[in-house]
Amino acid sequence: MTTAVKRLQPKVIITCAVTGAIHTPTLSDALPYTPQDIAQQAVEAAQAGAAILHLHARNPEDGSPTGDPDVFAQFLPAIGERTDAVINLTTGGSPEMTVEQRLAAALRFRPEMCSLNMGSMNFSMHLMGSKVKDWKFPWEKPYIEASEAFIFRNTFRDIARVLELMSDFGTRYEHECYDIGHLYNLAYFVDRGLIKPPFFIQGVFGILGGIGADYDNVVFMKRTADRLFGSDYVWSVLAAGKHQMPITTQAAMMGGNVRVGLEDSLFIGRGRLASSNAQQVGKIRLILEELGMEIATPDEARQILALKGQAEVAF
Ligand code: KMH
Ligand code: ZN
């Protein structure tokens, strides 16, 4: 333990968010949406170094987001058979889903992890795709445009409900915090004993409606989390679009973990679309290893995050 980086964090956990609900098929041919493609890209991302796979489902015919557990069932077993990566299911879903729809897959499959969004907010992607003339599917343009009026609902009661409904399953959370206030919402639940350490905070930077992807903001969020939670939390960062690689690299340099994947950015470099999720995982892995950091295996991530283990899921 001679370097500052090693003192702060021996291994870095890479999460890959494989498809999400923000981007649409026209924006990138690489965005997976059939169960086969989601499974294949997830497995390849794990092989490239992702210890955690954050997963959404999409309708196989047109790539529109869905929370239907029957669609998740078409790719979860295939991923579980082919990799030992930690499966983390979304409970954020998409703008068009109710909180119940967002939770359905996590309730059925009882994964090792699920996301838990820590506050309500504007969440807009209406600036995306302004240059697109021909959309592959009719749902895409209205979906993107409607997000200008979207409120991403995560009230205290909603969060409490997720915690209550998931409490018997031993699932732990990726606490998505899109602004400093969301850390205080998390502290509210920690103070009431409803969330136990070590909890995994995913700082989200650069969503229109959330905190901006600025280096000062990353420092501010980390300092606030340190003040509120001391050593009770494990920190990770994602950043949207072109900010993905610089901001996640900064977070890792500060002792944090990182999330990449086509859910968060479709790009691999300036103006260059990524060819796959694995390409982004490979890039951040290379950057971190060149900086002298080591990448956590799935079992090391399980240990760091006190997860229940792959044998305890229901798929
Ligand atoms: N798309 C990310 C910015 C969720 O799935 O719960 C947020 C997200 C939400 O990952
Ligand atoms: Zn997500």
Side-chain angles (χ1 to χ4, degrees):
M1 293 283 183
T2 49
T3 67
V5 167
K6 278 188 179 158
R7 262 202 313 277
L8 284 166
Q9 161 131 350
K11 302 255 172 133
V12 181
I13 300 169
I14 301 178
T15 296
C16 180
V18 174
T19 188
I22 294 179
H23 298 119
T24 73
T26 300
L27 301 176
S28 169
D29 289 338
L31 186 73
Y33 62 87
T34 65
Q36 295 73 17
D37 286 347
I38 290 173
Q40 184 65 24
Q41 287 217 30
V43 169
E44 287 171 6
Q47 288 165 346
I52 301 176
L53 299 167
H54 169 111
L55 297 170
H56 292 237
R58 291 177 181 263
N59 284 305
E61 296 77 30
D62 65 4
S64 58
T66 177
D68 185 350
D70 289 342
V71 180
F72 280 87
Q74 293 173 40
F75 57 77
L76 287 179
I79 298 172
E81 279 158 22
R82 292 168 63 199
T83 164
D84 65 345
V86 174
I87 303 296
N88 167 358
L89 295 187
T90 180
T91 66
S94 85
E96 290 167 341
M97 293 175 203
T98 63
V99 176
E100 304 302 321
Q101 288 170 328
R102 287 161 45 182
L103 251 178
L107 286 174
R108 174 146 144 205
F109 298 111
R110 307 175 178 192
E112 289 185 81
M113 297 187 81
C114 67
S115 66
L116 184 49
N117 293 273
M118 295 312 297
S120 301
M121 58 189 284
N122 292 336
F123 191 126
S124 190
M125 50 254 192
H126 69 279
L127 297 176
M128 275 184 342
S130 53
K131 296 193 187 110
V132 175
K133 298 243 165 16
D134 296 314
W135 295 89
K136 278 185 193 161
F137 301 107
W139 67 271
E140 296 178 75
K141 189 166 186 278
Y143 177 82
I144 288 173
E145 286 175 354
S147 70
E148 190 176 4
F150 174 51
I151 297 170
F152 188 27
R153 179 186 155 152
N154 300 286
T155 65
F156 284 99
R157 192 171 287 171
D158 294 333
I159 295 168
R161 187 161 162 70
V162 175
L163 292 170
E164 188 196 327
L165 289 173
M166 295 300 295
S167 64
D168 287 341
F169 305 148
T171 299
R172 290 178 66 77
Y173 304 97
E174 177 192 18
H175 294 283
E176 306 220 18
C177 293
Y178 301 75
D179 222 322
I180 304 296
H182 295 181
L183 296 177
Y184 288 85
N185 298 350
L186 175 58
Y188 165 90
F189 288 101
V190 172
D191 289 347
R192 276 150 190 79
L194 294 170
I195 293 170
K196 303 259 185 332
F199 39 86
F200 190 49
I201 297 179
Q202 190 71 259
V204 180
F205 295 85
I207 296 291
L208 189 57
I211 199 166
D214 300 332
Y215 297 121
D216 283 353
N217 288 342
V218 179
V219 173
F220 182 29
M221 199 185 266
K222 171 82 165 56
R223 282 208 181 132
T224 308
D226 285 347
R227 205 168 59 243
L228 290 172
F229 307 120
S231 57
D232 282 349
Y233 80 105
V234 178
W235 190 49
S236 183
V237 162
L238 75 87
K242 66 182 178 191
H243 304 291
Q244 183 181 63
M245 294 293 163
I247 293 285
T248 53
T249 302
Q250 179 198 2
M253 291 295 292
M254 293 169 62
N257 302 282
V258 299
R259 173 171 134 174
V260 295
L262 299 182
E263 170 165 349
D264 303 333
S265 169
L266 295 173
F267 294 90
I268 194 68
R270 203 183 177 86
R272 282 184 298 133
L273 288 170
S275 59
S276 67
N277 281 278
Q279 191 188 21
Q280 288 183 345
V281 173
K283 177 165 177 169
I284 193 67
R285 179 184 186 152
L286 182 67
I287 292 169
L288 301 183
E289 287 180 339
E290 288 292 317
L291 290 169
M293 297 175 218
E294 288 179 81
I295 304 306
T297 64
D299 280 342
E300 287 165 341
R302 287 186 174 93
Q303 221 170 7
I304 294 166
L305 300 173
L307 302 181
K308 62 181 179 176
Q310 204 176 16
E312 305 299 319
V313 301
F315 55 88

